[in-house]
Amino acid sequence: MSTPPRAGMPSAADPPTGTLRVLAVDDEAPALDELVWMLERQPAVRQVVPAASGEAALRVIHEQQLDAIFMDVQMPGLSGLDLARVLSRFSTQPPVVFVTAHERHAVDAFELNVVDYVLKPVRDERLSEAVRRVVRRLEGADPTPATGDDESIVVELGGVSRLVPRAEVLFVEAQGDYARLHTATESHLVRVPLTTLADQWAEAGFVRIHRSSLVALGHITEWRTESGRTTVVVGGHELVVSRRHTRELRDLLVRRAQPRHRSGL
């Protein structure tokens, strides 16, 4: 029996109007049928090719031209993560969206530069958001968050995984084996130690000011020293600078504030 149309969605008889040719991958038949059904009703999608395993998906990828891949993470044999690692070695990698019931793979997905991470049960509006991200990636408006200033990190918010651009992070606080990212409007707890972020983000201008805090140098707006206690203001938050890091931070801020002289002048 075919799945009946949902309210507000086009019927199966409506001709496709989009341009995307996507691959849907899931080893569970009901879940695959549901994903195909939902993708076919996305306005940007022209055709959906189903695959019931990672191995079958890899064969389709080698044989056909695809614009994007929507796939489960945990599958027997070649898992979604395994397939994403294979695709990461392609000269031209199609955008990948993970559609899964498991939150714990979000960090791995981030490291593999997937476009989005959608949790099951999948909602129409959430899938639409993922498709929009695919379109932006293909148009070059949503670059791969791999290195440099465009890097992002996966966060969980209300059961939804999304990417927060590193450029929006003002400072980071350690919370045990986790880290809390602070932006101008919100904060997110991520399953990454502060020491790891300090190493990975050093070249992007993030500096350690305390054993439990990391700040974006470019977002520091004030420096205060009172009664031997040094603090900095970042996004309206006053953060303590430990004595161990005070001199290094002061030197960095002074160098950053100095005007650059043109050669020969």
Side-chain angles (χ1 to χ4, degrees):
M1 180 181 296
S2 61
T3 307
R6 296 183 182 180
M9 302 298 288
S11 68
D14 291 335
T17 57
T19 60
L20 297 182
R21 192 166 190 269
V22 303
L23 177 65
V25 190
D26 201 306
D27 64 299
E28 297 182 0
L32 179 58
D33 290 343
E34 176 77 0
L35 181 58
V36 170
W37 185 86
M38 296 182 72
L39 283 169
E40 286 179 337
R41 282 151 179 79
Q42 291 296 319
V45 174
R46 176 173 62 88
Q47 183 181 4
V48 182
V49 180
S53 67
E55 291 81 2
L58 192 57
R59 288 194 295 270
V60 173
I61 292 167
H62 282 298
E63 296 170 357
Q64 302 185 36
Q65 183 67 38
L66 299 163
D67 296 303
I69 301 169
F70 290 72
M71 63 180 171
D72 194 9
V73 174
Q74 290 193 336
M75 295 183 289
L78 190 69
S79 70
L81 289 172
D82 293 333
L83 184 53
R85 292 188 183 100
V86 172
L87 293 173
S88 68
R89 296 194 290 269
F90 283 25
S91 57
T92 302
Q93 177 184 352
V96 172
V97 174
F98 279 141
V99 183
T100 177
H102 305 281
E103 297 183 18
R104 64 181 178 273
H105 300 295
V107 173
D108 294 324
F110 156 68
E111 293 175 349
L112 289 168
N113 301 323
V114 303
V115 172
D116 209 343
Y117 194 92
V118 180
L119 293 176
K120 298 178 181 178
V122 182
R123 296 175 289 111
D124 288 323
E125 58 271 23
R126 184 65 182 88
L127 189 63
S128 295
E129 179 185 342
V131 171
R132 286 193 295 270
R133 290 187 63 88
V134 166
V135 172
R136 290 198 298 269
R137 173 71 61 83
L138 292 171
E139 292 176 346
D142 185 24
T144 301
T147 58
D149 293 338
D150 291 327
E151 182 171 322
S152 301
I153 189 165
V154 176
V155 302
E156 304 294 331
L157 186 63
V160 176
S161 298
R162 66 183 182 89
L163 297 175
V164 171
R166 180 174 60 189
E168 295 182 3
V169 178
L170 305 179
F171 65 97
V172 186
E173 292 181 306
Q175 291 194 356
D177 293 331
Y178 295 75
R180 181 168 293 278
L181 311 180
H182 293 266
T183 69
T185 58
E186 54 193 5
S187 68
H188 306 280
L189 191 65
V190 295
R191 288 171 287 183
V192 181
L194 184 72
T195 52
T196 299
L197 289 180
D199 292 338
Q200 294 179 348
W201 290 7
E203 293 184 0
F206 282 79
V207 295
R208 199 77 172 260
I209 65 168
H210 194 278
R211 61 183 176 83
S212 61
S213 54
L214 182 72
V215 302
L217 195 64
H219 287 295
I220 295 177
T221 55
E222 291 185 34
W223 166 287
R224 302 171 182 170
T225 300
E226 298 176 353
S227 303
R229 180 175 181 267
T230 300
T231 60
V232 291
V233 176
V234 184
H237 298 268
E238 188 171 353
L239 306 175
V240 175
V241 182
S242 68
R243 292 186 177 182
R244 175 184 177 185
H245 296 284
T246 297
R247 182 173 180 177
E248 178 187 3
L249 179 62
R250 182 186 60 213
D251 291 344
L252 286 171
L253 290 172
V254 168
R255 288 200 300 269
R256 187 180 183 88
Q258 287 177 343
R260 296 184 180 181
H261 297 282
R262 291 177 293 177
S263 60
L265 295 179

